[in-house]
Amino acid sequence: VAIDRNPRALEFGRLNAALNNLCNIEFRLGDLFEPVEGETFDSIVTNPPFVISPETRYIYRDGGMRGDEICRRIVREAPRFLSEGGFLQMLCNWIEHGEQDWADGVREWFDETGCDAWVLRSHTQDVVAYASKWVRHTELRETDSWIPRVEEWCSYYKALGIERIGSGLINLRRSSGRPHWFLADEAPATVFGACGDSIRGRFEARDFLASISSDEDLLERYFHVSPHARFQSRSVPTPDGWQTEQASLELVHGLSYSGKVDIAIANLVVHCNGERRLGELVNEMAQAVGAEREKIIAPVCSIVRDLVDRGFLLLASAEGHGRPRTHTD
Ligand SMILES: C[S@@+](CC[C@H](N)C(=O)[O-])C[C@H]1O[C@@H](n2cnc3c(N)ncnc32)[C@H](O)[C@@H]1O
């Protein structure tokens, strides 16, 4: 089902569907969720008119509501239209105030939605840069109207106390019967191809991590290194040969998280083949680095949790099969 308030947008949608040989799309004219009242969906994807502006002239850009109210309203209304476990994904702009942490402005949107929420920030702009970028969409820079229009936008921000505007992707998952989580973090600098699997994978990883009661519980589990993980190291010459100066892990598909890694941890990661318990691998690591097992368990488990959360390590089935478990299992 595809919804738009502008009949012309629906006509373009129909044209694109025909060009792509898609016959299973129903186009409905209407305001936000109004054309689907009473229905639920497994996936809602929206690129709404999220631009924060004093204007209402351009329906593709200006939602016609004060500040970031249109995105807030979509977040508040979407759960009613999601089936259990269903996702909303929305491109979004939000207001950031003063010294406040950027996530504080949006956190409240998700209260009592009955959903887990993950806000991925791509960037933040000060209001002058933001207004200049969007006004340039519709006014030529050379014309007399450009500067007054930017000034008009900036006066609007001043009146509302808006200093910066954040941009990113909101992911919402409806899930009943347990406490909900809210996560706000930075999108990785690089993205490779489609990110749907990475996003769904992180929701599943967080479900799994929430179910782990202790480090000992985690050590009983089986993991599999992601096929998209890559290891890089840089070495310096020494009289005894090359010595590793810096090593890092990176994901080369979807959300491309990366970070420095200790060589011993990198070795543990690559030996996660789904057939040996994490605890066994940590025992071997302790021996290899000459450390006391009990002393390294807490820091290693903390790093493993992070590697699971970011998708470097995938949960294998409890019996220890070699194949990674994916959301389609
Ligand atoms: C940023 S464009 C996105 C267009 C297209 N869906 C896409 O993702 O490329 C925003 C679209 O939202 C439509 N729109 C604006 N206000 C709306 C509303 N209240 N209800 C439904 N659609 C709306 C506009 O007509 C425009 O087509």
Side-chain angles (χ1 to χ4, degrees), residues 3-7 9-10 28-33 35 45-50 58-65 70 73 91 134:
I3 299 173
D4 205 290
R5 215 179 79 185
N6 181 355
L10 291 186
R28 299 191 198 167
L29 183 69
D31 181 22
L32 296 182
F33 293 104
V45 181
T46 175
N47 174 14
F50 51 68
Y58 297 103
I59 192 175
Y60 87 92
R61 182 189 70 185
D62 311 313
M65 294 183 206
I70 189 162
R73 205 171 123 186
L91 282 181
W134 284 107

Side-chain angles (χ1 to χ4, degrees), residues 208-209 211-223 276-280 282 297-306 308 313 315:
F208 163 71
L209 290 170
S211 75
I212 295 293
S213 56
S214 63
D215 286 349
E216 289 308 326
D217 188 2
L218 188 70
L219 292 169
E220 289 302 313
R221 306 304 173 121
Y222 297 79
F223 296 96
R276 300 176 69 205
R277 282 183 313 110
L278 177 66
E280 286 178 52
V282 173
I297 281 179
V300 170
C301 284
S302 163
I303 295 167
V304 166
R305 280 185 173 83
D306 197 39
V308 171
L313 288 176
L315 180 65

Side-chain angles (χ1 to χ4, degrees), residues 20 44 58 72 84 162 195 197 232 262 264 309:
N20 288 284
I44 300 174
Y58 297 103
R72 182 180 183 279
E84 181 63 20
I162 305 172
C195 294
D197 285 349
Q232 278 187 4
D262 186 273
D309 188 24

Side-chain angles (χ1 to χ4, degrees), residues 39-220:
E39 296 176 61
T40 55
F41 300 86
D42 295 332
S43 171
I44 300 174
V45 181
T46 175
N47 174 14
F50 51 68
V51 176
I52 298 170
S53 86
E55 297 197 39
T56 50
R57 286 188 301 161
Y58 297 103
I59 192 175
Y60 87 92
R61 182 189 70 185
D62 311 313
M65 294 183 206
R66 194 169 188 264
D68 50 18
E69 183 56 25
I70 189 162
C71 291
R72 182 180 183 279
R73 205 171 123 186
I74 292 171
V75 163
R76 307 295 296 179
E77 289 188 13
R80 252 184 338 117
F81 301 93
L82 285 174
S83 47
E84 181 63 20
F87 283 84
L88 164 81
Q89 292 184 284
M90 171 167 75
L91 282 181
C92 184
N93 281 179
W94 57 81
I95 295 170
E96 297 180 14
H97 294 284
E99 298 303 303
Q100 221 183 26
D101 180 66
W102 69 265
D104 288 348
V106 283
R107 192 184 305 269
E108 164 275 329
W109 294 6
F110 304 95
D111 290 348
E112 289 157 30
T113 53
C115 293
D116 299 313
W118 177 18
V119 183
L120 255 178
R121 176 169 76 157
S122 59
H123 62 282
T124 285
Q125 282 178 303
D126 67 67
V127 288
V128 178
Y130 182 86
S132 306
K133 180 184 93 177
W134 284 107
V135 170
R136 203 168 296 149
H137 267 220
T138 56
E139 321 281 324
L140 289 176
R141 212 177 171 159
E142 300 73 36
T143 61
D144 291 343
S145 60
W146 192 76
I147 288 180
R149 188 76 71 196
V150 172
E151 284 172 349
E152 183 195 330
W153 284 43
C154 290
S155 307
Y156 173 76
Y157 299 138
K158 198 167 177 198
L160 293 185
I162 305 172
E163 292 174 12
R164 297 179 307 277
I165 294 175
S167 300
L169 177 73
I170 283 181
N171 302 281
L172 201 67
R173 181 186 61 177
R174 184 169 159 178
S175 52
S176 308
R178 56 173 182 75
H180 297 108
W181 49 262
F182 169 79
L183 170 69
D185 67 1
E186 308 294 333
T190 316
V191 162
F192 291 109
C195 294
D197 285 349
S198 303
I199 290 170
R200 190 189 283 266
R202 191 150 189 204
F203 275 82
E204 290 176 354
R206 293 182 78 84
D207 288 345
F208 163 71
L209 290 170
S211 75
I212 295 293
S213 56
S214 63
D215 286 349
E216 289 308 326
D217 188 2
L218 188 70
L219 292 169
E220 289 302 313

